[in-house]
Amino acid sequence: NGPSEFYWQGLDGSRLFCHWMPASYAAFYGAPGNLPEFKKFVDQRVQRLAPHAVTMHLLAPSGADLTPVDTNLLAMIGEYNRSQDEIELRIATPLECFRLVKESGVFPTITADLNPVFQGCYSARIDIKQWNRKLENMLVDCEKFASVAARMGSASQEERLWEAWRGVLFNQFHDIICGSHVDAVFENTMDRFKQSHVIAGNALAASLKTITAEIDTTGPGVPVVVFNSLSWERTDIVECPVAFTSPDTFECALVDSAGNWVPSDLRDVERYPNGSIKRARVFFIARGVPSFGYEVYHIVSAAESPAATDLSTSHPLPGLLRFELDQGWMENSFFRLEFDLWTGLITRIFDKVNQWEVLPEGMKCGNMVFKEQDFGNFWTYNGPCKGDEFYPMTGRYPLPDINAPKADFAHTYLGDAWVTQGNAVSEVVISHPFGSGHFSSRVRLYAGMPRIDIQTSLINNDERVRYRAAVPTSIQAGTITYEIPFGALERPEGELPAQNWIDYSDGEHGLTLLNQGLPGNNVVDGVMMLSLLKCTALKEGYAEVGGFKLSTPTEQGYEKGIKHTFDYALVPHAGSWREGQACRRGAEFNSPLIAYKPFRTSGRLPARHSFIKLDGDGVILSAVKPAPDGLIIRLYESQGQPAPDVVLETAWPILTAMATNLIEQDGAALPVAAGSRRISLALKPFEIVTIRLQLS
């Protein structure tokens, strides 16, 4: 009901001139071909558009989606203009229209959140959302390391990366990314994602090969270089395959670049006939990997380690202990988790550092997964699409009652949880039927890491249902904060899209829920919820119109018989989302440490090194790309607070620095001391900054 033209002001204070289409994006579509009816048609559109217009210029889009040009429209406009003098119809581009509009009025500034519409799209054809997020992060990492490799003389990866980006960006067309399309489009979309994934993987491998050739990886055992693409020193889990060609290694362990033993576990071990290790997967905790840099680790025979070394003592991570047949627990230095081993439910999450119980009394049931009937289509929940662009959806979608006739909870189907206890990671895993389908879940806890990782897998065999995961909290009347691109925003109860995380806190305690490509997030009555999977299709009776041919089968959206896997995590913390460092935790969860096994070399670079450092807690390195004489760097302030004393340091001497706009044009010079590798910056809350560096 607001103005059709306005300035929208972002979190950082920047403004965009915007137009809202009060009569939809097809206001002038379907114009009649004779003058009397055409006049009535124009009058109706003017009556609809004029009350919202700030100026005398009205924008009436002609066409709908991919409709052909109306060949009669030009002639009808000429007849109409000659028939009266009150209104003039013009065919113009949006740019021409907005130039006239901006010259003719004074416009309000709006700062409101522009969500939501079409909430059903958050979890429809969920594979697309997961692949999109995975490849966005992967390609950003590829660009970062390709930029470093280019500094070392590597051939440009620009064409290869652009080819990968092209497929991802094509898939972000609105009718593709939201999943509201026919099966053939979905199949082509997934093919493009997979092709981009192969290209990105090859590009990343080429860059890391160039970089590791310059690193000193000498030492005993098998070298593994762990790369960190983020702009802060971090500790995280690493998974790496390992193989031994000689049948003489019966146990192995890991040491870091300083020769310290690190907690590690072997999984999926295949052995030679004499019992020695042939191949396996090794899990280990890489501690303090430098910001946008790397550290070299070595996988060595355990016989080479001091006999008295006890990793479980050095880095305590008690595994499962059973209270009795149906209950168990695991804990690290941050959290204690307790489980119902029949159902896999988390019955207790205790934050040992901040001394609070995350789950409330009376709802000791973390990671509840449930299924609800959902008679909506790809666009909406529990109903057909009825032009929701005019009526934003505000449904709260609370946790259903466990006895509700249209809801089914996974934990009412019993299984038998099993536990793997390790030095680096311990986990509780359960698998069992779920109605006509199947459910499995894995909860992991790591040595010395304040994050609880959850992986849930589902096989659905029903039509018109939706699956969600829920974690009740003991927080009452808390603040709900969503990560959005380059910022964070408080929102009310109800399902809305989040980037990497949503946080619920009361200022004293909080819980951050991280996700990998699962945008549908919600908090209602203190329960945090995540939409996992919506199972619907395009069939008659559900208002599917606008060009869809109902004679063409489009039923893959029911997701029948397909195994879907969802990754999310919990981070209990003290204070608000800022104190909980939600932005960092979300980025870490979506950009894992990268393990690369190089040939052993005695390169010029040390075994532990940072290419770019940022001294500023809330400032995040968003992108790095090559420039002809240096690098383009983008960073932003992520906590909504001034950052007056940010120091950016590179591994190379900086000759000049220029702050540019987002498309790397114009800009102002930044002071750089002769021979310095540092520049100083001041960022406003949520400000995005692009810098062009000329490097020596």
mmCIF file of all heavy atoms in Angstrom, residues 615-616 619 637 641-647 680-685:
data_model
loop_
_atom_site.group_PDB
_atom_site.id
_atom_site.type_symbol
_atom_site.label_atom_id
_atom_site.label_comp_id
_atom_site.label_asym_id
_atom_site.label_seq_id
_atom_site.Cartn_x
_atom_site.Cartn_y
_atom_site.Cartn_z
ATOM 1 N N ASP A 615 43.149 -7.257 10.961
ATOM 2 C CA ASP A 615 43.068 -6.947 12.380
ATOM 3 C C ASP A 615 41.804 -6.124 12.595
ATOM 4 O O ASP A 615 41.799 -4.908 12.438
ATOM 5 C CB ASP A 615 44.312 -6.172 12.819
ATOM 6 C CG ASP A 615 44.308 -5.872 14.317
ATOM 7 O OD1 ASP A 615 43.415 -6.397 15.007
ATOM 8 O OD2 ASP A 615 45.183 -5.120 14.778
ATOM 9 N N GLY A 616 40.720 -6.805 12.925
ATOM 10 C CA GLY A 616 39.419 -6.175 13.111
ATOM 11 C C GLY A 616 38.393 -7.262 13.297
ATOM 12 O O GLY A 616 38.065 -7.961 12.335
ATOM 13 N N VAL A 619 35.295 -7.502 10.916
ATOM 14 C CA VAL A 619 35.507 -7.275 9.488
ATOM 15 C C VAL A 619 35.886 -8.591 8.814
ATOM 16 O O VAL A 619 36.753 -9.320 9.291
ATOM 17 C CB VAL A 619 36.594 -6.213 9.253
ATOM 18 C CG1 VAL A 619 36.820 -6.001 7.762
ATOM 19 C CG2 VAL A 619 36.195 -4.902 9.919
ATOM 20 N N GLU A 637 32.072 -4.959 7.085
ATOM 21 C CA GLU A 637 31.878 -4.984 8.533
ATOM 22 C C GLU A 637 30.631 -5.794 8.804
ATOM 23 O O GLU A 637 29.556 -5.500 8.279
ATOM 24 C CB GLU A 637 31.742 -3.551 9.075
ATOM 25 C CG GLU A 637 32.002 -3.397 10.556
ATOM 26 C CD GLU A 637 30.917 -4.037 11.428
ATOM 27 O OE1 GLU A 637 29.732 -3.813 11.114
ATOM 28 O OE2 GLU A 637 31.251 -4.751 12.391
ATOM 29 N N GLN A 641 28.631 -2.491 13.752
ATOM 30 C CA GLN A 641 29.322 -1.582 14.666
ATOM 31 C C GLN A 641 30.457 -0.887 13.920
ATOM 32 O O GLN A 641 31.066 -1.471 13.027
ATOM 33 C CB GLN A 641 29.882 -2.353 15.865
ATOM 34 C CG GLN A 641 28.821 -3.032 16.712
ATOM 35 C CD GLN A 641 29.414 -3.885 17.824
ATOM 36 O OE1 GLN A 641 30.534 -4.375 17.711
ATOM 37 N NE2 GLN A 641 28.662 -4.058 18.893
ATOM 38 N N PRO A 642 30.789 0.359 14.305
ATOM 39 C CA PRO A 642 31.911 1.031 13.651
ATOM 40 C C PRO A 642 33.210 0.248 13.849
ATOM 41 O O PRO A 642 33.446 -0.336 14.910
ATOM 42 C CB PRO A 642 31.974 2.392 14.356
ATOM 43 C CG PRO A 642 30.627 2.573 14.980
ATOM 44 C CD PRO A 642 30.132 1.204 15.325
ATOM 45 N N ALA A 643 34.031 0.232 12.818
ATOM 46 C CA ALA A 643 35.344 -0.422 12.887
ATOM 47 C C ALA A 643 36.389 0.609 12.461
ATOM 48 O O ALA A 643 36.821 0.635 11.303
ATOM 49 C CB ALA A 643 35.380 -1.653 11.987
ATOM 50 N N PRO A 644 36.794 1.480 13.386
ATOM 51 C CA PRO A 644 37.649 2.615 13.006
ATOM 52 C C PRO A 644 39.119 2.275 12.811
ATOM 53 O O PRO A 644 39.850 3.065 12.215
ATOM 54 C CB PRO A 644 37.476 3.575 14.187
ATOM 55 C CG PRO A 644 37.187 2.682 15.353
ATOM 56 C CD PRO A 644 36.398 1.526 14.802
ATOM 57 N N ASP A 645 39.576 1.138 13.311
ATOM 58 C CA ASP A 645 41.014 0.848 13.317
ATOM 59 C C ASP A 645 41.316 -0.523 12.719
ATOM 60 O O ASP A 645 41.927 -1.380 13.355
ATOM 61 C CB ASP A 645 41.562 0.921 14.744
ATOM 62 C CG ASP A 645 41.330 2.281 15.378
ATOM 63 O OD1 ASP A 645 41.699 3.278 14.740
ATOM 64 O OD2 ASP A 645 40.779 2.334 16.494
ATOM 65 N N VAL A 646 40.899 -0.746 11.494
ATOM 66 C CA VAL A 646 41.142 -2.019 10.822
ATOM 67 C C VAL A 646 42.490 -1.957 10.111
ATOM 68 O O VAL A 646 42.799 -0.977 9.425
ATOM 69 C CB VAL A 646 40.028 -2.317 9.807
ATOM 70 C CG1 VAL A 646 40.303 -3.619 9.076
ATOM 71 C CG2 VAL A 646 38.681 -2.369 10.507
ATOM 72 N N VAL A 647 43.294 -2.999 10.291
ATOM 73 C CA VAL A 647 44.584 -3.091 9.610
ATOM 74 C C VAL A 647 44.540 -4.291 8.667
ATOM 75 O O VAL A 647 44.262 -5.416 9.090
ATOM 76 C CB VAL A 647 45.748 -3.240 10.608
ATOM 77 C CG1 VAL A 647 47.065 -3.429 9.850
ATOM 78 C CG2 VAL A 647 45.829 -2.028 11.517
ATOM 79 N N SER A 680 45.701 0.958 6.639
ATOM 80 C CA SER A 680 44.706 1.142 7.699
ATOM 81 C C SER A 680 43.387 1.575 7.083
ATOM 82 O O SER A 680 43.359 2.362 6.120
ATOM 83 C CB SER A 680 45.189 2.190 8.710
ATOM 84 O OG SER A 680 46.357 1.741 9.358
ATOM 85 N N LEU A 681 42.296 1.072 7.651
ATOM 86 C CA LEU A 681 40.960 1.349 7.127
ATOM 87 C C LEU A 681 40.016 1.671 8.267
ATOM 88 O O LEU A 681 40.212 1.232 9.410
ATOM 89 C CB LEU A 681 40.416 0.135 6.365
ATOM 90 C CG LEU A 681 41.242 -0.388 5.195
ATOM 91 C CD1 LEU A 681 40.786 -1.778 4.816
ATOM 92 C CD2 LEU A 681 41.115 0.550 4.008
ATOM 93 N N ALA A 682 38.971 2.404 7.954
ATOM 94 C CA ALA A 682 37.883 2.660 8.898
ATOM 95 C C ALA A 682 36.578 2.333 8.191
ATOM 96 O O ALA A 682 36.283 2.888 7.127
ATOM 97 C CB ALA A 682 37.894 4.111 9.365
ATOM 98 N N LEU A 683 35.798 1.418 8.769
ATOM 99 C CA LEU A 683 34.542 0.990 8.156
ATOM 100 C C LEU A 683 33.365 1.400 9.022
ATOM 101 O O LEU A 683 33.419 1.296 10.257
ATOM 102 C CB LEU A 683 34.521 -0.528 7.948
ATOM 103 C CG LEU A 683 35.181 -1.073 6.676
ATOM 104 C CD1 LEU A 683 36.695 -0.928 6.749
ATOM 105 C CD2 LEU A 683 34.797 -2.522 6.453
ATOM 106 N N LYS A 684 32.310 1.822 8.365
ATOM 107 C CA LYS A 684 31.050 2.097 9.058
ATOM 108 C C LYS A 684 30.322 0.772 9.311
ATOM 109 O O LYS A 684 30.664 -0.261 8.728
ATOM 110 C CB LYS A 684 30.175 3.020 8.203
ATOM 111 C CG LYS A 684 30.782 4.397 7.955
ATOM 112 C CD LYS A 684 29.873 5.249 7.090
ATOM 113 C CE LYS A 684 29.742 4.683 5.690
ATOM 114 N NZ LYS A 684 28.951 5.560 4.792
ATOM 115 N N PRO A 685 29.303 0.774 10.164
ATOM 116 C CA PRO A 685 28.547 -0.458 10.397
ATOM 117 C C PRO A 685 28.011 -1.057 9.097
ATOM 118 O O PRO A 685 27.404 -0.361 8.286
ATOM 119 C CB PRO A 685 27.405 -0.004 11.315
ATOM 120 C CG PRO A 685 27.960 1.176 12.036
ATOM 121 C CD PRO A 685 28.838 1.874 11.039
#
